[in-house]
Amino acid sequence: MSLLRYELSDEYDDISFLHLPGDFNAASMEELTGVMQSLFAAGRPFVVVDLAEAESLRGAVIGELMEWRRKFIAEIDGEFCFCGASQSVEREIRELDVDKLFRLFPDRRSAVNYFFWEFKGQVDTVILSIPGSLDLVPATRKFIRKVCEAKAYSGRESFQIETIVDELCNNAIEHGASGGGKSIELAVAVGRKKVDINISNGVDVGERNYSDIVSNMERYVESPNTDVCESRGRGLALVKMLSSEFDIDGSENGTCVHVTKIREER
Amino acid sequence: MQSKIELVYEDIDGVDSSKLILLQGDLDATNVETVVENVFGLIDEGFVNIIADFKELRYVNSTGLGILLHFSKTAKERGGSFKVCSVNENVYEIIDIIGATTLLDIYNTREEAINSYKE
């Protein structure tokens, strides 16, 4: 008797979990087809095939799953992935090159995160308050690069985002929060399609000279320093050239720079 | 914590008043002064033909690029030159975006940079 079963997630409206137990083989195909029809009828587009109890995965089963995956993608914009496979089952999957089609995850949580990230546009935001010291900037920029890499941004784009964060932090500290116990506020929202960066130097400049400060910054953006003996004055221009959108404004939190970096590589 | 940067010096055979500097690590606002002191120290000692090997330089920001331009200008004023070689793709893109590829002498390899002195 097969122990094939499925669960409709209580927590997530559009995710189902399909368990393939033991040595699920061609003899059980009719049962598998019935379950897939039920999942399709339930209208939940994302299927996590949980292989934690699987001893083997036969070609016929994989073929059936591939066919249902195609149907889910074409008709309800869905996707399938595998999770929880033992080493031997994972080896079978890789030897058959099935991992080119079905993403493999170590556990159910990783698979669910994948669906939220790839299909539901989930954005993860890092918020940091950094004391006004340049010495803290390297660790900050490297941390943000690691976050972007963890979210599957390419090495090149992660490096560009690292550069943007570095230049913005240096600028905010030098022209606002340097010394005196002041800090800068950095918020980096990493989504699948773009990264939004907001940085404030935390200094209340007041209405009187706010426009002067912003116009001065804008001047550096549009006309970077061309004096080869001057090491500063190119950072904001570099940020603008690396960014998709760039904006400077002021608020009670100080001078703020907003940058959007739209993802180029997939 | 400052970024780590190491400068390793090597002699260049057959090129007068020369020195090769292998930069290892990240060059940014936290360690730029160290690099300035070391490179200007070399120039003041008469090593006006300098090759900066970027093979192991992972990162450089606008402040770091600014001092590289300063080195180049100073070396020329002293009758020599400041050349850069083996730049990784990410760093090269930053140098290019900032417009410094036209201001710095950049070579693909150390050998090409050395040979440029012998041509």
Side-chain angles (χ1 to χ4, degrees), chain A residues 187-206:
Chain A
V188 182
V190 185
R192 188 170 70 91
K193 295 182 178 175
K194 65 176 184 175
V195 174
D196 285 307
I197 301 168
N198 285 285
I199 187 163
S200 163
N201 64 9
V203 178
D204 183 0
V205 296

Side-chain angles (χ1 to χ4, degrees), chain A residues 12 15 17 48 107-117:
Chain A
Y12 312 111
I15 297 179
F17 302 99
V48 178
D107 51 43
R108 189 184 282 204
R109 169 56 57 187
S110 304
V112 169
N113 285 342
Y114 162 71
F115 286 133
F116 267 73
W117 172 255

Side-chain angles (χ1 to χ4, degrees), chain A residues 151-206:
Chain A
K151 292 296 185 183
Y153 275 72
S154 69
R156 174 173 169 261
E157 286 191 301
S158 298
F159 184 89
Q160 291 176 343
I161 292 162
E162 176 182 358
T163 301
I164 290 169
V165 168
D166 184 35
E167 300 289 353
L168 291 180
C169 287
N170 287 337
N171 194 73
I173 289 170
E174 284 189 28
H175 300 293
S178 181
K182 294 168 183 167
S183 61
I184 59 173
E185 308 297 322
L186 175 68
V188 182
V190 185
R192 188 170 70 91
K193 295 182 178 175
K194 65 176 184 175
V195 174
D196 285 307
I197 301 168
N198 285 285
I199 187 163
S200 163
N201 64 9
V203 178
D204 183 0
V205 296

